[in-house]
């Protein structure tokens, strides 16, 4: 064989070798990532049930210090949280040393300060578990149990972007009124034999108070994020106009996602994928009210989208508001890790996991069976939506690898 032919043959063999190696490495990386997703899922399932226990045997830190140290730009709490039961026990039982009206917003809430100086947001019970909220998807009062359920769903999905929430019973007469500010105290009243309050908020009315059962009120408490992590509010790009007859651009423009991808902070970094994750999360819980969202300040798009204020959910188990999934079906992209986790949760696993996660909450049962069944049904719709995207654009385009380092992190 002539020298020139040998050189050409060697060059061809070299090209084949390089392509084979790249292909194998790529597949090894992908399968390794999938295996890690599977291991993470099994770790989550193993630690799913959180028993509220008072002791922190291995540390001298307070529950509040531990929870504050957990917060980083991309998660509110870490994957492994052996102290979670103690922190939630403290949230559910620590003495209330001050009570005030809630921070600004449209719905009734109270701001409580617990022993040790920790702020929590208290949302009172307004509905029984089997009450169905009719009307628009965002109709009705906040549902305190929805905050509890949404937090545990955040754990199950592996997002870790929702503040800690636990159910709590408070005695309004002995625990709240003695430490209440004048502003909060002025909103207390009696309805029959029940102690009630209506607080201060955009929709708060004396004619629509939240009432205890006697003096004891059921509610949820959400752990306040550390003050060292100030929040920044953003308008959700797929938010509603809330004006009759006026559509938002995403409701009529089929190419809307392309426009979003050209604007900051969605043109780089993880924020657009966070929006997609959030649309899945909100669809599963039936929350069509996320017209704004929060991230940490001065993050240049690197912060997570924080899953705050999830109480306008679990109102109607029959709700199938597909428009919540608009970011997913218009952009047709989703994180590989999210896609893997959703597939692990099908065939009834999600319902079982959610029920197990909430079993030890003080206000258990947190959700009625129709709501648990609805979450499983909605999961099938999410999976079907992704399949439509992959059928149209291919797996490589739709499934986005989210483990690569981001340049601005």
């Amino acid at each position: 064989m002539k020298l020139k032919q040998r050189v050409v043959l060697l060059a061809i063999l070299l090209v084949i070798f390089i392509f084979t190696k790249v292909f194998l490495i790529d597949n090894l990386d992908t399968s390794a990532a999938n295996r890690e997703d599977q291991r993470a899922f099994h770790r989550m399932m193993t630690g799913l049930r959180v028993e509220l226990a008072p002791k922190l045997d291995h540390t001298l830190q307070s529950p509040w210090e531990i929870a504050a140290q957990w917060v980083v730009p991309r998660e509110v709490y870490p994957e492994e949280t052996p102290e979670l039961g103690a922190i939630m026990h403290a949230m559910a039982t620590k003495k209330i040393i001050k009570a005030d009206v809630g921070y600004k917003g449209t719905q009734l809430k109270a701001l409580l300060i617990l022993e040790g100086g920790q702020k929590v947001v208290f949302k009172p019970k307004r509905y029984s578990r089997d009450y169905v909220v009719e009307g628009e998807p965002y109709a009705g009062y906040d549902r305190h149990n929805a905050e509890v359920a949404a937090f545990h769903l955040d754990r199950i999905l592996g997002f870790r972007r929702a503040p800690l929430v636990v159910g709590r019973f408070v005695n309004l007469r002995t625990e709240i009124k003695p430490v209440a500010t004048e502003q909060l105290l002025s909103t207390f009243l009696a309805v029959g034999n029940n102690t009630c309050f209506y607080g201060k908020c955009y929709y708060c009315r004396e004619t629509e108070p939240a009432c205890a059962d006697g003096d004891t009120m059921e509610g949820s408490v959400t752990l306040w994020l550390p003050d060292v992590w100030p929040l920044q509010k953003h308008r959700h790009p797929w938010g509603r106009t809330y004006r009759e007859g006026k559509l938002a651009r995403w409701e009529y423009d089929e190419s809307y996602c392309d426009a979003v991808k050209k604007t900051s902070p969605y043109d780089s970094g993880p924020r657009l994928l966070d929006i997609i994750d959030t649309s899945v999360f909100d669809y599963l819980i039936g929350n069509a009210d996320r017209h704004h969202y929060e991230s940490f300040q001065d993050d240049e798009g690197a912060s997570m989208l924080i899953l705050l204020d999830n109480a306008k959910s679990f109102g109607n188990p029959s709700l199938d508001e597909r428009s919540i999934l608009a970011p997913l079906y218009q952009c047709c992209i989703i994180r590989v890790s999210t896609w893997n986790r959703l597939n692990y949760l099908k065939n009834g696993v999600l319902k079982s996991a959610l029920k197990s996660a909430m079993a030890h909450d003080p206000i258990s049962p947190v959700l009625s069976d129709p709501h648990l069944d609805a979450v499983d049904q909605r999961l099938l719709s999410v999976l079907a939506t992704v399949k439509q995207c992959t059928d149209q654009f291919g797996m490589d385009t739709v499934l986005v690898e989210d483990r690569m380092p981001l340049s601005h992190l």
Side-chain angles (χ1 to χ4, degrees), residues 165-217:
V165 185
V166 70
R168 177 164 180 162
F169 290 94
V170 297
N171 188 301
L172 295 182
R173 181 176 58 84
T174 63
E175 292 185 89
I176 300 295
K177 292 181 77 173
V179 296
T181 62
E182 186 58 41
Q183 193 175 23
L184 178 60
L185 203 57
S186 66
T187 73
F188 273 77
L189 67 156
V191 177
N193 295 322
N194 301 320
T195 303
C196 311
F197 77 103
Y198 57 91
K200 300 278 187 182
C201 70
Y202 187 81
Y203 290 124
C204 289
R205 304 285 186 272
E206 186 175 355
T207 54
E208 301 179 29
C211 292
D213 182 4
D215 291 323
T216 303
M217 175 171 276

Side-chain angles (χ1 to χ4, degrees), residues 195-245:
T195 303
C196 311
F197 77 103
Y198 57 91
K200 300 278 187 182
C201 70
Y202 187 81
Y203 290 124
C204 289
R205 304 285 186 272
E206 186 175 355
T207 54
E208 301 179 29
C211 292
D213 182 4
D215 291 323
T216 303
M217 175 171 276
E218 179 183 318
S220 66
V221 287
T222 302
L223 197 70
W224 196 273
L225 291 169
D227 291 337
V228 295
W229 294 97
L231 301 182
Q232 181 176 353
K233 195 169 189 175
H234 308 263
R235 180 157 187 81
H236 196 299
W238 276 268
R240 299 172 182 272
T241 64
Y242 292 88
R243 298 176 193 169
E244 190 173 348

